[in-house]
């Protein structure tokens, strides 16, 4: 009896057998077993896991993205269009941001965040845990900003001008509460970064107010 | 919850499209294992895979402002990764060195399942002739249809189908040889037997 060829069996993983092929498979244990092996091989290929890129891959990519001008780290408020949004919305964003920062800082300081809490199930017991916690805090920060960005879009915001003095006042407030948070958790990188951004934004706003070059009045 | 995730992703993509470093890093963290996996299997080489994956990310970030959300972002990115790897492979084909030893260990993000089988499959995949490997990976590993493979590789769906059968048969042969310690069968690719390129 002549067996089905390897390519035929491989094809039959996807295709229904012809009547002749069906008849052969019904009467040939060897070919039936071989077909099952092909099916198993195909299933296994479809279950191959994802692969982690090599360590340091992001650093190389980041350098390339920067060299091509595809990556930027603008000021905290400019990044999310806050210079062009109403004061009340900026204040809302400040509260949102600060809330995220405070929750992260509190969880960080406690060292034992609850599952589902600001830092998820990560525990800060070593350097890797600390790095992971920072990454999670950043992730939540990005998520919060993403939602805020969409809120702006849904409200048709984005081109409205603002009063620079109100903006300065809002930033000053944000700096003060950020400084208070950093005093409580001086080692918290997230809060320190947040404070640094707020300070930079506030100083820029102050320069704008003092220069008198703006056209908002 | 699903709606909220989709909404969040849209905002994240909008930020990334403007070059926001944190948003792009978030995308990278979320999708780099999938990008690297498909590129690695197409390239058949760790070092090349890293270059190709980087190129794919550069292309994707560059093209992000044109992403309109007609397809899922993961699908869109996956297609860029596949195209990027295939193009790079074509460019490098004439100068690519296949003599480099296979890596002893390929890190996986999901070590579950039959790790020994996965390792065998990966080694066999790396030994498949180039064209066969591309079709097999796109169809059996990545789930592309023959029409999609034809589109990506510039071949007919019939050619894709016939090459898939050949590739599966060759895989079976290589896996069998590996089980029996038949090193001769592992030379198939290097000798250019049944080589086929697109």
């Amino acid at each position: 009896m002549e067996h089905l060829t390897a390519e035929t069996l491989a094809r039959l993983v996807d295709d229904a057998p012809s009547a002749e092929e069906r008849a052969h498979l019904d009467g040939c244990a060897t070919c039936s077993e071989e077909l099952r092996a092909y099916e198993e091989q195909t299933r296994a290929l479809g279950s191959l896991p994802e692969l982690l890129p090599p360590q340091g891959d992001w650093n190389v990519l980041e350098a390339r993205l920067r060299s091509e001008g595809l990556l930027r780290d603008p000021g905290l408020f400019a990044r999310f269009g806050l210079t062009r949004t109403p004061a009340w919305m900026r204040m809302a964003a400040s509260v949102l941001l600060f809330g995220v920062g405070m929750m992260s800082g509190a969880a960080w300081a406690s060292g034992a965040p609850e599952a589902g809490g600001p830092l998820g199930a990560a525990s800060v017991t070593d350097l890797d845990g600390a790095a992971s916690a920072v990454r999670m805090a950043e992730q939540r920060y990005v998520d919060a900003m993403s939602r805020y960005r969409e809120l702006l879009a849904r409200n048709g915001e984005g081109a409205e001008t603002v009063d620079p003095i109100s903006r300065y006042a809002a930033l000053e407030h944000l700096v003060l509460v950020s400084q208070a948070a950093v005093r409580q958790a001086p080692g918290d990188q997230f809060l320190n970064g947040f404070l640094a951004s707020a300070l930079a934004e506030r100083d820029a706003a102050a320069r704008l107010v003092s220069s008198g070059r703006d056209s908002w009045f | 919850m699903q709606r909220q995730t989709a909404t969040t992703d849209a905002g994240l993509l909008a930020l990334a499209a403007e070059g926001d470093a944190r948003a792009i890093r978030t995308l990278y963290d979320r999708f780099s294992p999938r990008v690297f996996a498909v590129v690695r299997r197409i390239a058949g080489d760790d070092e090349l895979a890293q270059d190709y994956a980087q190129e794919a990310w550069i292309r994707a970030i560059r093209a992000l402002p044109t992403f309109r959300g007609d397809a899922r972002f993961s699908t869109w990115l996956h297609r860029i990764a596949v195209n990027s790897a295939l193009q790079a492979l074509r460019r490098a084909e004439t100068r690519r060195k296949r003599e480099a030893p296979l890596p002893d260990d390929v890190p996986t993000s999901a070590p579950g399942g039959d790790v020994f089988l996965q390792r065998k499959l990966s080694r066999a995949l790396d030994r498949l002739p180039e064209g066969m490997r591309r079709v097999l990976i796109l169809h059996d590993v990545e789930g592309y249809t023959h029409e999609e493979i034809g589109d990506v590789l510039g071949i007919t769906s019939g050619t894709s189908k016939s090459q898939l059968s050949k590739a599966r048969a060759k895989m079976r042969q290589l896996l069998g040889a590996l089980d029996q310690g038949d090193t001769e069968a592992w030379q198939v690719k290097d000798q250019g037997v049944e080589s086929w390129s697109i």
Side-chain angles (χ1 to χ4, degrees):
Chain A
M1 179 168 49
E2 192 171 334
H3 292 298
L4 298 176
T5 66
E7 287 184 31
T8 298
L9 289 164
R11 172 175 58 78
L12 293 179
V13 171
D14 298 322
D15 296 350
S18 67
E20 190 179 349
E21 289 163 347
R22 179 77 270 164
H24 179 85
L25 286 169
D26 287 345
C28 178
T30 303
C31 284
S32 294
E33 186 57 37
E34 190 67 3
L35 177 56
R36 273 194 289 278
Y38 273 101
E39 289 168 343
E40 180 54 39
Q41 172 184 299
T42 303
R43 267 195 299 275
L45 282 170
S47 302
L48 282 174
E50 294 179 339
L51 302 174
L52 293 177
Q55 279 197 335
D57 186 63
W58 165 255
N59 296 334
V60 177
L61 176 61
E62 185 182 25
R64 284 192 62 188
L65 288 170
R66 286 191 191 286
S67 73
E68 299 200 17
L70 294 170
L71 209 60
R72 61 182 175 78
D73 287 304
L76 182 64
F77 284 80
R79 178 190 310 172
F80 301 108
L82 292 178
T83 58
R84 296 173 179 272
T85 55
W88 70 267
M89 204 166 261
R90 294 199 313 277
M91 287 300 293
S94 298
V95 171
L96 174 66
L97 280 170
F98 186 66
V100 171
M102 282 300 288
M103 286 189 296
S104 302
W108 175 287
S110 74
E114 295 176 4
L119 295 183
S123 60
V124 186
T125 56
D126 54 20
L127 191 57
D128 287 343
S132 173
V134 169
R135 289 289 313 140
M136 291 178 73
E138 286 185 335
Q139 175 64 61
R140 287 178 182 278
Y141 168 83
V142 169
D143 287 347
M145 285 302 91
S146 298
R147 282 192 284 275
Y148 171 67
R149 182 63 176 259
E150 289 181 345
L151 178 66
L152 289 182
R154 278 203 295 273
N155 284 282
E157 302 288 354
E160 199 168 326
T161 57
V162 295
D163 171 7
I165 294 181
S166 297
R167 179 166 185 270
Y168 175 81
L171 287 167
E172 179 64 24
H173 175 71
L174 185 59
V175 166
L176 289 175
V177 290
S178 300
Q179 284 172 332
V182 168
R183 275 197 295 275
Q184 289 192 13
D188 188 315
Q189 294 181 31
F190 178 80
L191 288 178
N192 276 288
F194 189 87
L195 172 59
S197 297
L199 282 167
E201 291 293 334
R202 184 201 60 180
D203 293 346
R207 283 195 296 274
L208 186 62
V209 169
S210 62
S211 72
R213 283 185 287 109
D214 66 270
S215 57
W216 282 308
F217 293 102
Chain B
M1 178 60 80
Q2 193 173 11
R3 187 173 178 277
Q4 184 180 349
T5 302
T7 303
T8 304
D9 283 352
L12 180 64
L13 291 172
L15 287 172
E18 292 177 6
D20 184 276
R22 291 195 204 194
I24 290 173
R25 175 63 193 261
T26 300
L27 290 177
Y28 174 86
D29 286 346
R30 194 181 296 177
F31 295 107
S32 61
R34 182 150 191 237
V35 167
F36 188 73
V38 66
V39 163
R40 168 64 180 81
R41 289 180 182 124
I42 289 174
D45 177 284
D46 276 347
E47 202 171 327
L48 287 175
Q50 188 175 9
D51 290 345
Y52 296 175
Q54 296 257 329
E55 188 59 32
W57 277 104
I58 298 280
R59 286 189 190 193
I61 299 304
R62 195 179 285 143
L64 250 183
T66 68
F67 176 67
R68 296 287 175 235
D70 298 332
R72 289 173 58 199
F73 175 73
S74 58
T75 306
W76 180 81
L77 178 62
H78 189 270
R79 183 59 70 94
I80 288 178
V82 167
N83 284 338
S84 181
L86 289 173
Q87 287 173 17
L89 208 52
R90 285 184 188 123
R91 285 198 300 270
E93 223 151 36
T94 53
R95 52 191 160 81
R96 189 158 43 92
K97 294 179 287 184
R98 301 299 306 176
E99 294 78 22
L102 290 168
D104 289 334
D105 189 27
V106 177
T108 68
S109 59
D114 187 338
V115 176
F116 181 68
L117 174 62
Q118 290 166 0
R119 189 166 157 70
K120 269 201 321 181
L121 288 169
S122 296
R123 290 176 65 85
L125 275 174
D126 286 348
R127 286 288 165 174
L128 274 184
E130 208 63 69
M132 287 185 190
R133 187 171 77 242
R134 293 175 198 177
V135 173
L136 187 73
I137 287 168
L138 291 177
H139 190 279
D140 283 359
V141 180
E142 303 298 335
Y144 280 45
T145 65
H146 289 297
E147 286 71 27
E148 289 172 324
I149 294 171
D151 185 40
V152 167
L153 297 181
I155 58 176
T156 66
S157 58
T159 301
S160 170
K161 204 168 180 179
S162 69
Q163 287 303 322
L164 177 65
S165 294
K166 288 179 183 172
R168 282 175 176 166
K170 181 58 68 184
M171 271 294 280
R172 178 106 182 93
Q173 180 190 339
L174 289 169
L175 289 169
L178 187 61
D179 282 340
Q180 295 166 15
D182 181 358
T183 54
E184 208 171 293
W186 286 85
Q187 305 306 314
V188 166
K189 184 176 179 182
D190 295 336
Q191 291 168 358
V193 179
E194 290 194 41
S195 64
W196 169 79
S197 62
I198 294 168

